[in-house]
Amino acid sequence: MKLVEQLNWRYATKAFNTQKKVSERDIDYLKEAIRLSASSYGLQLYKVLLVEDKATREALRPLCWNQSQITDASHLFVFCHKVEALDQGVDEYLALQSELREVEVQKLKGYGDFIKSKLSEINDEQKSQWTSKQTYIAAANLMVACAELEIDSCPIEGFEVEKVNALLGLDKQGYSASMLIPVGYRSAEDKTQHLVKVRRSNTQLFETI
Ligand SMILES: Cc1cc2nc3c(=O)[nH]c(=O)nc-3n(C[C@H](O)[C@H](O)[C@H](O)COP(=O)(O)O)c2cc1C
């Protein structure tokens, strides 16, 4: 019940209060919600940048359709999916699982080979789409965790991918930005907060077969 109440509370915040900062304690909680996200095979083939540098945020804004949230929110998360060396990512995951579950890595080889053989069946574009999808699950968890703490957020896909990748040096690291999520507190002046939610009805959205 409480979750649905909070999902009604949240909205894609257009104007943030530039003076109000999210506490480091709350940021740690939000990071944990991201970290615990489910991902395909558990691989987490992405990373999340927290852009604190003011100059970088100012440089990002024109590349993000000049959306004010990029500079005005308290914190800015950038979800970046892996686009290269996915097999290496699989090996890193197996090494981590071996360490945390105290299983010999050799025993996990069959699982790793299965994942790698599945990956070899798809092209680079499909691989990129697949890793990018994983970031949306983490991004949704971030937004839900924000709503729980009554921290505002706005998912942002309106940006020039190549330019953002170049600015953040992601292209050189084998990553690509999929979504930006500024978080903070809404401005009292943001009229969007008073708008009625536009959602399809249950009959339009759900079908029982
Ligand atoms: C993948 C994705 C991309 C979005 N990109 C933007 C964006 O660039 N700028 C923006 O202001 N809102 C963006 N939104 C917010 C949506 O417009 C918003 O979630 C939708 O209209 C529903 O409104 P609500 O979230 O306020 O309930 C995006 C949402 C999603 C899920």
Side-chain angles (χ1 to χ4, degrees):
M1 295 297 273
K2 181 72 179 149
L3 176 61
V4 169
E5 221 172 273
Q6 292 313 105
L7 292 178
N8 268 305
W9 174 87
R10 71 146 293 283
Y11 74 107
T13 306
K14 305 294 174 204
F16 281 90
N17 178 336
T18 54
Q19 306 304 315
K20 223 172 147 187
K21 299 287 167 218
V22 179
S23 72
E24 284 311 307
R25 189 166 158 262
D26 285 349
I27 290 293
D28 286 345
Y29 185 85
L30 299 178
K31 284 181 175 171
E32 194 59 0
I34 293 170
R35 198 178 74 88
L36 289 171
S37 298
S39 64
S40 190
Y41 302 112
L43 296 171
Q44 293 178 292
L45 295 177
Y46 54 83
K47 66 174 176 175
V48 186
L49 302 181
L50 253 170
V51 187
E52 288 189 348
D53 182 58
K54 200 168 173 278
T56 305
R57 286 179 60 176
E58 274 162 12
L60 274 171
R61 181 166 161 171
L63 312 181
C64 302
W65 302 356
N66 201 31
Q67 298 189 69
S68 65
Q69 302 98 313
I70 298 295
T71 48
D72 295 354
S74 166
H75 288 70
L76 176 66
F77 290 87
V78 182
F79 289 81
C80 316
H81 60 284
K82 205 165 162 61
V83 290
E84 283 171 18
L86 302 197
D87 279 6
Q88 193 187 316
V90 174
D91 289 335
E92 284 165 13
Y93 169 75
L94 295 180
L96 184 64
Q97 184 180 142
S98 154
E99 180 197 328
L100 295 178
R101 292 190 173 159
E102 299 179 15
V103 188
E104 280 169 49
V105 79
Q106 195 53 30
K107 292 212 168 104
L108 304 171
K109 191 177 174 304
Y111 184 53
D113 288 347
F114 173 76
I115 299 171
K116 287 177 192 172
S117 85
K118 285 284 148 205
L119 283 174
S120 72
E121 291 169 15
I122 55 175
N123 63 32
D124 286 351
E125 177 55 32
Q126 289 166 318
K127 281 179 193 158
S128 171
Q129 278 179 17
W130 177 65
T131 54
S132 137
K133 281 184 203 167
Q134 316 302 319
T135 64
Y136 283 71
I137 297 168
N141 278 353
L142 168 61
M143 289 189 280
V144 171
C146 280
E148 185 194 7
L149 301 182
E150 300 207 334
I151 292 170
D152 289 292
S153 67
C154 183
I156 291 192
E157 219 180 27
F159 65 94
E160 297 176 68
V161 180
E162 268 87 44
K163 289 183 185 169
V164 166
N165 287 346
L167 180 76
L168 299 175
L170 294 169
D171 44 1
K172 295 195 185 74
Q173 300 165 30
Y175 285 88
S176 179
S178 53
M179 203 196 296
L180 286 78
I181 306 200
V183 306
Y185 297 96
R186 63 189 71 176
S187 156
E189 263 92 77
D190 186 1
K191 294 194 177 71
T192 325
Q193 66 192 288
H194 307 298
L195 297 177
V196 169
K197 278 220 177 289
V198 180
R199 293 293 191 271
R200 294 163 73 205
S201 69
N202 276 2
T203 16
Q204 289 167 325
L205 189 59
F206 300 102
E207 189 178 325
T208 307
I209 54 167

